Amino acid sequence: MVPMLMLVLGVVAATDRDFTDVEQLRLPRLFHLDNYERCLAQRGGQYCLGSFRVSADQENPKYEFIKEYSSSPHNFDRTLLHRGYCVSSRCPSEANITLRFERCIQQHVLPPGFTAALQTYSCETNREVDFKMDFPQFAFLLVIGFILFLNLMGTLYDFLIGGEAKNKLLMSWSLRVNWNRLTSTHDDGDPRLTALAPIQGVRVLLLALVMMTHASEIQHKVYLYNPEFFEKVLTYPITMLIKNGSSITQIFIVLSNFLFGYSLLIYAKNKQLGLAQLPACILHRIARITPIHMLVVGFAATWWQESGSGPQWAATIGTESQICRKKFWAHFFFLHNFIYKDEHCLLQTWFLAVDMQVYIVASALMLYMIQNKKSRIQILTCLFILSCLLNAGLAYINDWKSLLYIMLPENVRTTFHGIPSFSQYYISPWGSLPSCFIGLITACVHFDMQENGYKIAKHRWFTTIYHMSIPLIVVCLLAGNVMLEHTSRGAVSSFLAAERPTVALLSAICLLGIANNVDNIFRRVMGWRGWTVLGRMSLSVLMLHWVINMRLVASKRTLLEASVFTIAADLLSTIWWTYCAALPLTLLVEAPLQRTVNTLLS
């Protein structure tokens, strides 16, 4: 949790402000919530949550100050106010709910000369409505019931049927077998793969960093007691580790393609492979990802919105649940990063779409080069350079910017809605192609060195770079503070094209050192056996943590006081409940379905 510690130090040390505290007191409160339960407990109680655009009829010094404050990209838009009101007791009687809500804010918030136009709203009443299960919700329960039935049958079969000649398909659904596989260390397996055991620890660490970033991002989406916290904290130099930390996700791409390429090369030593095996490769990856992916998306589209309540529930989880329904088919085909790109169902799932898309490219390339005995490293290096140039050219033409330029409070609150740099580059497959090629190059280099008996770990130059790789990644992230001073189109597009490949190259060096047993404290810590079980649950953790973190925050009845400690509290709660939920999901869904497909294809 080094980034979190550094963030705390940055909060304490920073002193620069664009606006004084006294000036900020002149601003209208950005958020407000009336008592939710007390409102709906009243007879005829009606609670409305909405956003209002504030304007002035004529020249007004106070309004000009609000616009000046809002014009700073580091501040929330203070011309857009967010209110949760008990309209049944607070607001004048009016049949038209929109007009009633607008008059309500006019009466309670705005001084003379200001007007408010309602942008979005949702209302709840205390009338009890009989819940009616719809077909998607019923279908989800059927799927869950069928999965539990298969696990019950497989487990009973395992316990009741003796002997060695057990049915492999039924054994795939044995809870005991899947538990033993999850907790085993495979120390007696292929030593080449055993040397890669610390990668599981790396996965756990990276997921913790991803969850930390998302915990902060999710707090932007709810009603805050002190929105000034995020306005100030994102300007501190140390928070560049988070603002520019999106490049860390590329390490997942490097790891994924390294493991795929290396395993394929080992397998190809004893099997004849070619492009004819491409469908089988793709099917294996689909079987690995789709069950967990679609089950969690299915839950989000059906029962997620029924799992709680609160004044902000409909505006957060309710809205995202509807998006999940609309994009469910796109998630099934891993096209959700192309379809309705500005509407996100479980934000982290963009990675699964990109991972699948670049995996298809990687599979076709590797099988082609293995079949035709091509110079793999030279071809992949050329493709890596071309992919970097492609992103640089597209960034220059489309004026795309790195996330560090666009990670601003209002953009984070709206999940970068309408920001092309996010929807067209950050969650696109071409943005991750360089990291894909780096992963494949690393696999080929490592495999060829092992085949030729080359001991790279004996060279001091390599071990020195390996030991420096992690600190250099941190330096690369902090270098964003320097880049913020350069805003020309050429500089911005060049940085965008270089930041991800640079982190990918450094992570590849670190990976190569781990694979060649170069000892240091990082490898020893990541090699702890306890990470193995947690690392094998990584897919379930990736899918579940957003659902759980959103539920923790969206169920709050009062304004949230944002701070480093509330973010840390949300993070720790999310980690605990995510791993608790990921264990049964891995044992009952991911493991048995993956083994079933492997059995059918073997």
Side-chain angles (χ1 to χ4, degrees):
M1 295 300 174
V2 174
M4 181 64 74
L5 177 60
M6 297 177 75
L7 177 60
V8 174
L9 296 176
V11 170
V12 174
T15 57
D16 293 337
R17 291 181 176 88
D18 292 330
F19 292 86
T20 66
D21 293 339
V22 173
E23 287 177 315
Q24 288 178 340
L25 291 175
R26 295 166 52 193
L27 296 165
R29 291 291 301 271
L30 186 58
F31 301 103
H32 175 84
L33 289 174
D34 283 347
N35 190 295
Y36 177 74
E37 277 80 10
R38 183 173 296 178
C39 176
L40 295 185
Q42 301 170 3
R43 184 173 183 179
Q46 187 173 39
Y47 194 98
C48 292
L49 191 85
S51 300
F52 302 80
R53 178 67 65 184
V54 176
S55 59
D57 297 332
Q58 53 190 2
E59 188 173 336
N60 187 311
K62 188 169 184 178
Y63 180 65
E64 293 303 318
F65 173 71
I66 294 173
K67 288 202 301 181
E68 179 190 1
Y69 188 91
S70 302
S71 65
S72 171
H74 299 293
N75 296 331
F76 284 105
D77 184 358
R78 297 302 181 114
T79 68
L80 189 65
L81 303 182
H82 312 276
R83 294 291 183 269
Y85 279 167
C86 183
V87 295
S88 54
S89 59
R90 177 189 281 268
C91 307
S93 210
E94 171 68 45
N96 186 307
I97 187 61
T98 303
L99 186 59
R100 185 178 190 181
F101 209 2
E102 287 177 347
R103 288 180 177 177
C104 197
I105 196 171
Q106 186 78 39
Q107 175 181 334
H108 291 280
V109 179
L110 301 182
F114 281 72
T115 58
L118 188 59
Q119 302 292 298
T120 59
Y121 74 95
S122 61
C123 294
E124 291 184 63
T125 65
N126 62 356
R127 291 178 298 176
E128 294 186 3
V129 180
D130 292 334
F131 172 73
K132 294 182 179 179
M133 187 187 305
D134 59 20
F135 179 75
Q137 291 172 327
F138 179 70
F140 181 82
L141 292 181
L142 279 181
V143 170
I144 294 297
F146 184 63
I147 290 172
L148 292 176
F149 173 76
L150 289 177
N151 277 277
L152 177 62
M153 292 297 101
T155 305
L156 288 175
Y157 177 81
D158 180 25
F159 278 102
L160 297 177
I161 304 299
E164 297 295 327
K166 292 184 177 181
N167 186 286
K168 290 185 177 181
L169 278 177
L170 282 173
M171 289 297 293
S172 298
W173 293 89
S174 168
L175 186 59
R176 179 174 66 174
V177 170
N178 289 324
W179 170 261
N180 290 336
R181 289 175 62 87
L182 178 66
T183 56
S184 63
T185 57
H186 300 302
D187 290 335
D188 56 345
D190 191 328
R192 293 172 297 184
L193 298 178
T194 303
L196 301 177
I199 289 178
Q200 299 290 10
V202 174
R203 281 177 171 164
V204 175
L205 173 63
L206 292 175
L207 274 174
L209 294 176
V210 168
M211 287 190 276
M212 181 182 71
T213 303
H214 286 169
S216 173
E217 180 181 355
I218 286 171
Q219 285 201 2
H220 281 74
K221 302 179 186 301
V222 294
Y223 282 31
L224 299 170
Y225 173 77
N226 57 333
E228 298 81 14
F229 171 81
F230 286 123
E231 292 176 338
K232 295 172 184 176
V233 77
L234 288 178
T235 65
Y236 300 155
I238 199 64
T239 57
M240 188 55 66
L241 289 171
I242 295 178
K243 291 174 66 174
N244 200 28
S246 63
S247 301
I248 293 296
T249 59
Q250 296 304 295
I251 301 178
F252 284 111
I253 299 288
V254 173
L255 289 176
S256 175
N257 286 278
F258 168 80
L259 293 172
F260 163 71
Y262 185 56
S263 300
L264 195 67
L265 289 169
I266 292 176
Y267 187 73
K269 289 182 64 177
N270 303 315
K271 296 284 185 179
Q272 188 70 28
L273 297 180
L275 285 173
Q277 281 72 46
L278 181 60
C281 277
I282 296 174
L283 188 58
H284 271 286
R285 179 56 65 99
I286 290 174
R288 168 79 175 87
I289 296 177
T290 300
I292 297 294
H293 178 207
M294 295 314 301
L295 195 70
V296 178
V297 172
F299 170 78
T302 54
W303 291 99
W304 193 22
Q305 61 185 337
E306 305 296 338
S307 66
S309 64
Q312 306 174 78
W313 191 266
T316 52
I317 287 179
T319 299
E320 188 166 351
S321 181
Q322 292 306 310
I323 294 173
C324 290
R325 285 206 174 195
K326 183 165 69 172
K327 295 184 67 171
F328 184 84
W329 69 270
H331 277 264
F332 185 81
F333 292 104
F334 294 95
L335 295 173
H336 49 281
N337 59 330
F338 289 122
I339 309 298
Y340 304 115
K341 292 184 289 187
D342 282 328
E343 300 179 65
H344 303 289
C345 163
L346 309 184
L347 179 63
Q348 78 280 13
T349 59
W350 71 265
F351 174 80
L352 296 183
V354 168
D355 183 62
M356 178 62 72
Q357 290 152 11
V358 299
Y359 174 81
I360 294 173
V361 174
S363 300
L365 271 173
M366 289 299 293
L367 290 171
Y368 171 75
M369 290 186 294
I370 288 174
Q371 182 179 21
N372 295 277
K373 310 297 182 183
K374 297 294 183 181
S375 302
R376 299 186 291 261
I377 296 176
Q378 291 87 336
I379 292 174
L380 291 169
T381 302
C382 288
L383 290 173
F384 166 71
I385 295 171
L386 288 174
S387 64
C388 292
L389 294 174
L390 171 67
N391 285 325
L394 290 174
Y396 188 85
I397 293 169
N398 296 293
D399 196 22
W400 293 338
K401 296 178 176 63
S402 167
L403 208 63
L404 69 93
Y405 291 95
I406 62 174
M407 188 171 281
L408 304 166
E410 199 65 35
N411 288 344
V412 177
R413 191 183 71 82
T414 61
T415 319
F416 305 97
H417 190 276
I419 307 295
S421 300
F422 187 83
S423 58
Q424 297 176 17
Y425 172 73
Y426 181 73
I427 62 173
S428 70
W430 44 85
S432 297
L433 267 180
S435 301
C436 166
F437 295 136
I438 286 292
L440 296 178
I441 291 170
T442 308
C444 294
V445 168
H446 182 54
F447 179 80
D448 288 348
M449 286 192 303
Q450 285 188 325
E451 290 297 293
N452 297 322
Y454 183 75
K455 305 294 184 182
I456 195 172
K458 293 183 177 180
H459 296 276
R460 182 176 294 275
W461 63 267
F462 174 76
T463 57
T464 301
I465 298 174
Y466 165 66
H467 294 317
M468 293 175 60
S469 59
I470 301 298
L472 284 174
I473 289 176
V474 176
V475 170
C476 285
L477 299 184
L478 290 174
N481 288 304
V482 178
M483 280 308 303
L484 283 177
E485 301 174 4
H486 302 277
T487 56
S488 67
R489 198 162 186 162
V492 171
S493 58
S494 298
F495 179 74
L496 177 139
E499 60 168 343
R500 284 182 165 188
T502 302
V503 172
L505 279 168
L506 290 171
S507 65
I509 293 170
C510 183
L511 179 58
L512 208 54
I514 288 174
N516 284 276
N517 294 305
V518 180
D519 186 47
N520 65 5
I521 189 170
F522 180 76
R523 191 186 192 283
R524 289 197 294 271
V525 172
M526 294 297 100
W528 177 54
R529 291 189 177 187
W531 300 127
T532 302
V533 174
L534 300 181
R536 288 171 181 163
M537 296 191 290
S538 293
L539 178 59
S540 296
V541 170
L542 177 68
M543 286 301 304
L544 285 170
H545 80 271
W546 184 274
V547 173
I548 291 171
N549 200 338
M550 278 290 290
R551 197 200 180 287
L552 289 172
V553 175
S555 61
K556 295 185 182 300
R557 264 56 173 172
T558 58
L559 298 179
L560 173 69
E561 184 175 0
S563 69
V564 171
F565 300 102
T566 58
I567 294 172
D570 279 349
L571 173 63
L572 293 175
S573 296
T574 299
I575 290 175
W576 167 255
W577 290 115
T578 298
Y579 276 101
C580 286
L583 179 60
L585 196 62
T586 302
L587 289 174
L588 300 177
V589 183
E590 180 183 355
L593 281 170
Q594 188 177 356
R595 291 189 63 210
T596 297
V597 172
N598 291 341
T599 300
L600 292 174
L601 293 178
S602 61

